Amino acid sequence: MNIVVCLKQVPDTTAEKKLNAEFRLDRTSVENIVNPFDEYAVEEALKIKEQKGGTVTALSVGPESAKEALRKAIAMGVEKAMLVSDANLAGSDSLGTAKAIAGALSKLQYDIVLFGMTSTDAASAQVAGKVAALLNLPLLSYASKLEVGDDSATSSRQTDKGYDVISAKLPAVVSVVKGINEPRYPSLKGIMQAKRTPIDVLPLSDIGVDASEVGKAGAKEKVLGFVPTKARQAGKVVKDDGAAAVVIADFLVASKCM
Ligand SMILES: Cc1cc2nc3c(=O)[nH]c(=O)nc-3n(C[C@H](O)[C@H](O)[C@H](O)COP(=O)(O)OP(=O)(O)OC[C@H]3O[C@@H](n4cnc5c(N)ncnc54)[C@H](O)[C@@H]3O)c2cc1C
């Protein structure tokens, strides 16, 4: 079973983020980490490999620094890594990113392509669906459970009423939610291996994607502005002198929670 797991390098979730004049995130001035949701995808890929055999390849689209994110995946147990990096990718929207991932996949063999459910920075949760559409592959999205057979995969997706159970023929694209598993920590052996493993870096020309299709040139989305979230206000402490239930009920009614 050949598994490709897509992961994105994102600014540390706790870092104070700055936007440039075009409302694009300044990723150079902050510490970057592996998108936390993608660690679940890496773990799921490793679990499938342990069960069915095969190879796991980590794939990222981003600047050279994204190699660090790929090295973390190798330290967790992934064998191979590929980075698509090209100056023309700057300013890519989610479709441009999906085109680059789809192009890179044309250079790889895969039965399953795994994604996290969303990134923690742009957080559009669109890339997996767009890659599936571009490659005309079935999409099992938001999987909270995944069972992989020899030529099909079945996922459970939580709904308000329970779970949708969906099956698809392989090859398929799967996005996984937090909680599908418990991502393992990188082992010492894995960390050493990650330092030694070469990472293939491919420009757009090597994956058959034209520069006009991606980056600022190909972007169909435009960021018009941003509104910072309001600072959270201090909570209200209710001391129970016997009438706390009434105070809480009045508070909930006034807050339109009841
Ligand atoms: C007009 C515009 C300009 C932008 N310019 C830039 C820019 O210059 N530089 C920049 O970094 N971002 C830029 N962005 C943000 C960028 O488009 C998104 O971060 C990117 O398309 C991925 O979308 P997302 O973060 O919403 O991913 P989601 O769809 O939320 O991510 C879902 C999953 O897809 C996978 N995934 C997402 N992105 C990647 C990736 N790059 N490599 C591998 N797997 C991935 C991961 O598994 C992730 O969990 C721009 C966005 C817009 C709208």
Side-chain angles (χ1 to χ4, degrees), residues 21-226:
E22 291 172 308
F23 301 118
R24 275 162 46 195
L25 204 54
D26 175 4
R27 290 157 203 271
T28 51
S29 60
V30 288
E31 196 189 324
N32 290 301
I33 57 168
V34 176
N35 175 34
F37 290 105
D38 297 348
E39 293 190 14
Y40 297 90
V42 173
E43 177 62 33
E44 202 59 23
L46 295 172
K47 280 174 68 182
I48 298 168
K49 187 192 87 172
E50 283 159 6
Q51 231 176 47
K52 317 250 353 144
T55 311
V56 182
T57 304
L59 168 63
S60 193
V61 174
E64 279 278 319
S65 65
K67 277 185 177 174
E68 286 315 305
L70 292 167
R71 288 200 196 287
K72 170 137 190 215
I74 297 168
M76 286 172 75
V78 165
E79 295 103 324
K80 295 185 195 167
M82 179 188 277
L83 172 67
V84 177
S85 197
D86 193 300
N88 291 306
L89 281 162
S92 288
D93 59 9
S94 56
L95 182 60
T97 304
K99 283 179 179 169
I101 292 175
L105 286 169
S106 71
K107 297 281 161 197
L108 295 167
Q109 294 213 315
Y110 56 85
D111 301 292
I112 298 190
V113 187
L114 280 161
F115 290 80
M117 64 175 255
T118 186
S119 71
T120 52
D121 54 357
S124 71
Q126 291 186 8
V127 171
K130 286 178 178 173
V131 169
L134 288 166
L135 295 174
N136 206 17
L137 292 176
L139 169 69
L140 300 174
S141 59
Y142 299 102
S144 56
K145 190 174 164 202
L146 183 66
E147 277 164 26
V148 179
D150 290 338
D151 62 358
S152 68
T154 303
S155 75
S156 298
R157 180 171 52 204
Q158 195 164 15
T159 68
D160 287 346
K161 296 193 177 130
Y163 289 90
D164 286 338
V165 178
I166 309 150
S167 282
K169 286 259 173 235
L170 301 181
V173 171
V174 181
S175 74
V176 304
V177 299
K178 181 179 165 183
I180 187 171
N181 54 42
E182 190 59 47
R184 66 196 69 186
Y185 287 104
S187 63
L188 188 58
K189 188 173 158 228
I191 294 168
M192 300 310 287
Q193 184 63 35
K195 289 186 180 155
R196 288 193 298 266
T197 305
I199 294 178
D200 293 334
V201 183
L202 274 66
L204 287 171
S205 55
D206 281 11
I207 56 166
V209 175
D210 196 88
S212 64
E213 291 284 305
V214 297
K216 209 171 159 181
K220 308 261 188 276
E221 296 169 50
K222 190 170 168 43
V223 182
L224 300 175
F226 80 103

